[in-house]
Amino acid sequence: MSSTTQAIIEASKQHPKPADKSFGYGTAGVIPDEGVRNSVALTTSPSNENRNLLDSVVYRVGLLAALRSQNLGGKTIGVMITASHNGPEDNGVKLVDPMGEMLEASWEVYATTLANADSDEVLAEEYTNLAQKLSIDIDPESAAFVRPNVVFARDTRESGPALVQALSDALEAVGANKTDYNLMTTPQLHYIVRCINTEGTPQAYGEVSEEGYYKKLAAAYNKLMRGVPSIGEVTVDCANGVGAPKLRALAAEIGESFQCNIVNDLIDEPSKLNSQCGADYVKTQQRLPPASHAAPLARCASLDGDADRLVYYFNDSDGTFRLLDGDKIATLAASFIGDLVKAAGINTKEKTDIKVGVVQTAYANGSSTSYITNHLGLPVICTPTGVKHLHHAALKFDCGVYFEANGHGTVVFSNAALQVIAEHEAESPAQATALENLQALVDLINQTVGDALSDLLLVEVILAHKRWGPKEWDATYTDLPNRLVRVEVSDRTVFKTTDAERRLLEPVGVQEKINALVGKYKQGRSFARASGTEDAVRVYSEAAERGEAEELARLVAEIVAQY
Ligand code: NG1
Ligand code: ZN
């Protein structure tokens, strides 16, 4: 047995896997097969088996991160410890690939294999097998040994530091170089990973530091706001999470051109994380966080617990709550960018040098899809749920705008588009201004992953340029009434979908029943799919009238519940 495998076994004894648990890599990272909410649940009581549950997963994910780095010639891999929008007692772990993307899909199965190894010895064996399969030399004494490079960060959850220890133990066992970035938002870690791996190349993404992140965004924002009158303060609910101190630092770096009122910033009270506040609360409850008091027509926004989701909302003059979700952010961004490439003279009637497109999931409101196609005249792709699918599809465009309805998304530019934007020659002062704005926009947007802080600045810039309040933005199109229901079933794996999860293949006959129901409703649409993060099937429906959307959801849920 090599010294590395010996070290893996020794350290693994500190992070044992509970015997009766199994794991899979879901829409949000490694999760137990019975699906404990998003990512992996963890309670803070040391005696609770859930603690060991996540402890072993993080330890093993640390081993995998090192292998991933070695497999890519020593490129830096990121590990983020967070359970995003979920409760404070949950936690989870995700890997970040070298360009700041999510872990390549083919590696998800390796994560599952290591997470499920039944003993410390079997884990070491699986690790060795995997290294062999990937032709990785794991002996630090060997000439062919590539030292792994791994960086990591965590959100504000109480369980974070203990999990960082598990991760650290794994990295030490395999002789990896490691850097602990402590508290960060998920997108900040993605930014850091990309900066490290592109440093000194023509694709350099920015300074490798949290400070560098603020400077890059602040400079881009201030460039875009030059000569543009302020539209006043935005109130930002930070979900009592890591986004609060980070937004404060960003706002300080920007200076007076960005006025924000930060609420729900109690990060020293861990139980308050995502509780009665945050993007998920606002989106699912369709109401203001109780602690927020929004004046009529005042812009409000909410982040989630790791600041990768953003939704906007406001109270109308008559007091009704209006949500501006990921679909509204996507349409706003796509229309602004579409106009800019035209104003810069890059796209004209004769040529489309930068093809702009939008990527959504089946949960996008039908009205948003029609608006993009019919009003903005842009192509739309629908993908399965999970940002990795959206991100991948967005790369098919020169400029791909992707958002989930829940507010997770960003804009990605192809290398060809970046080159056009950098080299295009403006033929008038107006074109020159548009081009400069486009160039600044590329820096303002965190292209690695959906980033609530970057998206917040993006929306603020667009609204200021358009001189729009939330009501004008909301008026671009009217959402169809919709309903999302969670249905508990005995075995969610029997639900198999096709067509970007919009139709069921199995159980056989169910789709036909759904179709028959949908046909009875004006502008009716409904689909059912197994959740990737919870042990349930989700049913979504929309229709022309609220009552009809509700009824359709109820009836489809009744069909699903029979399985
Ligand atoms: P699942 O549980 O697979 O529906 C949920 C969200 C996704 C995504 C993931 C990961 C809905 C309907 N689903 O996935 O959009 O955010 O969690 O966090 O919002
Ligand atoms: Zn999140």
Side-chain angles (χ1 to χ4, degrees):
M1 191 179 294
S2 78
S3 61
T4 300
T5 43
Q6 195 68 52
I8 289 173
I9 292 171
E10 278 311 307
S12 177
K13 287 182 182 152
Q14 308 301 314
H15 309 288
K17 172 185 170 289
D20 53 345
K21 297 286 174 187
S22 62
F23 307 95
Y25 205 98
T27 24
V30 186
I31 63 163
D33 284 342
E34 74 256 38
V36 188
R37 310 246 311 165
N38 187 12
S39 312
V40 181
L42 174 77
T43 63
T44 46
S45 150
S47 59
N48 192 296
E49 69 168 326
N50 277 341
R51 182 182 180 92
N52 291 338
L53 181 74
L54 194 60
D55 210 48
S56 70
V57 169
V58 173
Y59 175 76
R60 290 149 185 238
V61 167
L63 298 178
L64 187 70
L67 280 179
R68 179 81 182 141
S69 171
Q70 289 172 304
N71 187 237
L72 297 173
K75 287 227 164 68
T76 299
I77 296 296
V79 183
M80 182 71 200
I81 295 182
T82 176
S84 187
H85 55 282
N86 292 302
E89 67 288 352
D90 291 348
N91 216 332
V93 57
K94 276 182 249 186
L95 292 187
V96 183
D97 259 356
M99 288 302 277
E101 331 86 300
M102 276 145 284
L103 176 69
E104 188 188 291
S106 64
W107 274 61
E108 293 177 359
V109 49
Y110 305 150
T112 314
T113 307
L114 293 186
N116 288 318
D118 268 332
S119 67
D120 307 328
E121 287 73 20
V122 174
L123 172 65
E125 213 176 291
E126 293 286 9
Y127 175 87
T128 315
N129 290 345
L130 192 51
Q132 250 163 26
K133 178 177 159 166
L134 298 165
S135 309
I136 297 170
D137 195 327
I138 56 170
D139 176 8
E141 305 303 321
S142 147
F145 181 73
V146 175
R147 195 165 294 283
N149 290 295
V150 179
V151 298
F152 49 90
R154 61 181 170 90
D155 70 12
T156 56
R157 286 173 164 80
E158 270 184 306
S159 53
L163 296 174
V164 161
Q165 189 59 55
L167 176 63
S168 202
D169 287 352
L171 298 174
E172 266 169 33
V174 297
N177 295 321
K178 57 186 165 75
T179 309
D180 183 354
Y181 279 89
N182 298 304
L183 281 188
M184 266 198 175
T185 70
T186 297
Q188 282 181 327
L189 184 71
H190 284 251
Y191 164 90
I192 292 282
V193 170
R194 179 141 166 182
C195 289
I196 293 173
N197 289 303
T198 55
E199 203 177 15
T201 74
Q203 283 77 40
Y205 196 63
E207 217 178 87
V208 185
S209 67
E210 194 177 322
E211 202 48 45
Y213 169 91
Y214 299 128
K215 279 199 215 142
K216 182 176 176 180
L217 265 60
Y221 178 86
N222 280 325
K223 214 183 256 179
L224 280 152
M225 292 298 281
R226 251 188 330 217
V228 181
S230 158
I231 48 166
E233 183 178 83
V234 56
T235 294
V236 186
D237 151 30
C238 294
N240 293 317
V242 66
K246 305 308 182 188
L247 177 58
R248 201 160 271 131
L250 177 60
E253 183 67 36
I254 297 174
E256 61 189 23
S257 59
F258 177 59
Q259 295 155 26
C260 85
N261 169 31
I262 295 176
V263 297
N264 294 322
D265 59 349
L266 303 174
I267 60 165
D268 294 328
E269 294 180 46
S271 66
K272 295 210 154 68
L273 178 71
N274 294 323
S275 166
Q276 303 281 305
C277 61
D280 197 54
Y281 174 88
V282 173
K283 168 79 180 160
T284 55
Q285 305 290 316
Q286 305 259 335
R287 68 167 85 135
L288 286 179
S292 301
H293 303 284
L297 304 180
R299 287 191 320 290
C300 300
S302 285
L303 322 178
D304 72 340
D306 62 337
D308 61 0
R309 285 192 190 184
L310 173 74
V311 294
Y312 267 73
Y313 45 94
F314 67 104
N315 269 340
D316 212 340
S317 332
D318 63 2
T320 43
F321 172 85
R322 306 289 308 163
L323 178 70
L324 298 151
D325 64 2
D327 300 342
K328 278 256 156 72
I329 297 174
T331 49
L332 185 74
S335 91
F336 186 68
I337 295 170
D339 288 349
L340 267 187
V341 287
K342 279 187 206 136
I346 292 174
N347 285 359
T348 62
K349 276 204 185 97
E350 293 75 38
K351 62 180 176 69
T352 304
D353 283 349
I354 294 187
K355 190 173 177 196
V356 182
V358 181
V359 184
Q360 303 185 307
T361 71
Y363 292 105
N365 196 278
S367 289
S368 72
T369 315
S370 316
Y371 177 79
I372 298 162
T373 314
N374 304 327
H375 186 88
L376 301 180
L378 297 173
V380 183
I381 297 177
C382 182
T383 72
T385 304
V387 277
K388 64 185 176 193
H389 299 294
L390 287 108
H391 190 96
H392 189 70
L395 297 173
K396 294 190 178 137
F397 297 110
D398 297 312
C399 170
V401 180
Y402 74 84
F403 274 87
E404 290 192 300
N406 59 31
H408 190 167
T410 188
V411 182
V412 287
F413 295 89
S414 68
N415 286 335
L418 291 175
Q419 196 172 348
V420 171
I421 293 169
E423 293 173 2
H424 181 75
E425 286 185 15
E427 288 171 2
S428 69
Q431 282 196 2
T433 307
L435 189 62
E436 276 174 26
N437 284 340
L438 201 53
Q439 286 161 349
L441 212 60
V442 168
D443 282 343
L444 183 69
I445 296 168
N446 186 340
Q447 292 173 53
T448 65
V449 76
D451 180 341
L453 301 187
S454 154
D455 291 340
L456 177 76
L457 297 185
L458 175 67
V459 171
E460 290 296 301
V461 160
I462 300 176
L463 294 180
H465 274 252
K466 290 184 180 274
R467 310 284 323 137
W468 276 2
K471 198 170 168 75
E472 287 75 26
W473 176 15
D474 190 34
T476 48
Y477 65 85
T478 306
D479 275 333
L480 281 171
N482 58 87
R483 180 90 184 143
L484 182 61
V485 202
R486 186 179 181 280
V487 188
E488 306 240 344
V489 294
S490 53
D491 178 9
R492 77 189 196 282
T493 62
V494 303
F495 289 83
K496 300 215 169 18
T497 60
T498 180
D499 188 22
E501 305 181 325
R502 289 174 289 194
R503 283 185 297 125
L504 280 172
L505 289 173
E506 289 175 26
V508 172
V510 176
Q511 188 59 46
E512 285 67 26
K513 288 185 193 163
I514 296 176
N515 292 349
L517 278 172
V518 167
K520 294 181 187 159
Y521 296 86
K522 192 169 162 220
Q523 291 182 277
R525 182 168 74 92
S526 184
F527 64 93
R529 60 172 273 280
S531 159
T533 62
E534 293 176 41
D535 192 9
V537 168
R538 298 195 200 285
V539 169
Y540 175 89
S541 78
E542 59 186 35
E545 302 294 332
R546 164 127 327 266
E548 302 210 315
E550 307 264 349
E551 187 178 271
L552 180 56
R554 184 171 51 76
L555 295 174
V556 173
E558 276 173 18
I559 297 174
V560 168
Q562 291 163 14
Y563 293 86

